[in-house]
């Protein structure tokens, strides 16, 4: 499996290769780059598709520190430079969107377009923090398996969770979440919970932006995406019906459409 030692972390990535425009996919908390496999399968015929696992996730290394969003942004910038794919199209979901917004505002030379999925420029709401800290404590000292049942309704919408035809998919993602390295994940969760907002950066984003929200998302409610859309000039907002917080998995065709429309605006 390809890895690169970047910014003090060992980062795993996948790369379909070629000399076409690149799309870099940045995943959400608790998952890894494999959550975008439906997007890669759909887009790889026309684009070089690159996924990566954030530090502490998936097949990337568990660093001792550096789980704040600014460091994750530096990791992503280092990978784009390492693979020499700038300017690229960037797709970020949830935590990956936190990274994408900061890249677009601070290092616009690295990006052509930005697709933001199930994400927000706001800090974690104060009312959520005690609950998430408790889940994180249980995960750290007992194991991630102990919190999967509580986490799945946060990560996925009601339609996906109740669809009997998708039982195997639910089992797959629950196993992935439960199988994460507890040190890496709990450090990453703390970085997300304690993050600063970046609403002040949104006015500096001058490239084509697509904003996707999950109609059933309880972790990042659609109103937060509406505020993103209002703050980023010229952005497009789509609310995905029957999607929760992991729209790339739950409604892949709708997500693919938004990515392609955003790229065509470049």
């Amino acid at each position: 499996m390809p890895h690169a030692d970047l910014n003090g972390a060992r980062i795993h990535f996948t790369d379909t290769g070629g000399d076409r425009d690149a799309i870099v996919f940045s995943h959400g908390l608790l998952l890894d780059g494999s959550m975008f496999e439906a997007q890669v399968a759909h887009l790889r015929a026309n684009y070089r598709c690159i996924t990566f696992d954030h530090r502490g996730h998936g097949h990337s290394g568990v660093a001792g520190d550096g789980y704040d969003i600014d460091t994750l942004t530096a990791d992503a910038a280092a990978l784009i430079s390492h693979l020499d794919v700038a300017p690229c199209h960037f797709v970020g979901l949830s935590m990956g969107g936190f990274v994408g917004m900061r890249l677009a505002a601070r290092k616009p030379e690295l990006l052509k377009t930005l697709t933001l999925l199930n994400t927000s420029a706001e800090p974690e709401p104060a009312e959520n923090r005690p609950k998430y800290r408790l889940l994180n404590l249980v995960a750290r000292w007992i194991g991630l398996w102990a919190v999967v049942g509580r986490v799945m309704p946060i990560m996925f919408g009601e339609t996906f969770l109740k669809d009997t035809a998708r039982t195997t998919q639910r089992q797959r993602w629950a196993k992935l979440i439960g199988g994460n390295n507890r040190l890496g994940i709990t450090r990453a969760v703390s970085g997300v919970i304690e993050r600063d907002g970046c609403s002040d950066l949104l006015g500096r984003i001058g490239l084509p932006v697509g904003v996707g929200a999950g109609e059933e998302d309880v972790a990042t409610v659609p109103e937060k995406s509406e505020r993103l859309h209002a703050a980023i000039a010229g952005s497009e907002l789509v609310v995905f019906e029957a999607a929760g917080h992991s729209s790339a998995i739950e409604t892949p065709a709708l997500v693919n459409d938004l990515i392609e429309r955003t790229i065509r605006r470049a």
Side-chain angles (χ1 to χ4, degrees), residues 28-217:
L29 185 67
L30 306 182
L31 297 174
D32 63 19
S34 67
M35 75 174 302
F36 293 111
E37 61 187 24
Q39 285 67 52
V40 172
H42 178 73
L43 295 163
R44 64 181 298 162
N46 296 310
Y47 301 94
R48 178 177 176 180
C49 294
I50 297 162
T51 71
F52 70 100
D53 299 343
H54 289 286
R55 59 176 65 199
H57 289 76
H59 298 291
S60 286
V62 178
D65 57 11
Y67 293 88
D68 60 284
I69 304 304
D70 285 343
T71 303
L72 299 186
T73 302
D75 291 348
L79 180 66
I80 292 168
S81 297
H82 173 74
L83 295 175
D84 194 22
V85 293
C88 65
H89 307 285
F90 196 89
V91 178
L93 187 146
S94 190
M95 181 177 73
F98 305 158
V99 169
M101 285 180 274
R102 287 163 174 80
L103 279 178
R106 295 171 178 164
K107 292 186 174 291
E109 70 279 5
L110 296 182
L111 306 188
K112 281 188 177 180
T113 69
L114 175 63
T115 303
L116 297 170
L117 306 170
N118 307 93
T119 195
S120 169
E122 301 164 21
E124 191 63 43
E127 62 270 20
N128 288 350
R129 293 181 182 180
K131 173 179 65 176
Y132 291 163
R133 287 179 183 134
L134 178 59
L135 288 172
N136 209 31
L137 185 66
V138 172
R140 172 67 180 86
W141 294 107
I142 298 177
L144 284 153
W145 61 268
V147 301
V148 170
R150 295 284 302 274
V151 166
M152 287 292 284
I154 299 172
M155 299 292 291
F156 298 95
E158 185 177 5
T159 298
F160 179 83
L161 292 173
K162 290 184 175 180
D163 187 348
T164 57
R166 305 185 81 172
T167 299
T168 301
Q169 288 186 53
R170 288 194 297 275
Q171 292 171 341
R172 174 193 174 182
W173 298 112
K175 183 178 180 180
L176 186 150
I177 292 169
N180 274 309
N181 182 288
R182 72 171 74 178
L183 274 178
I185 287 299
T186 52
R187 288 169 180 168
V189 170
S190 293
V192 166
I193 293 171
E194 307 301 336
R195 74 186 185 276
D196 294 327
C198 65
S199 297
D200 59 311
L201 298 179
L202 300 182
R204 293 162 54 181
I205 299 176
L207 45 78
V209 176
V211 179
E215 180 186 39
E216 301 175 1
D217 192 344

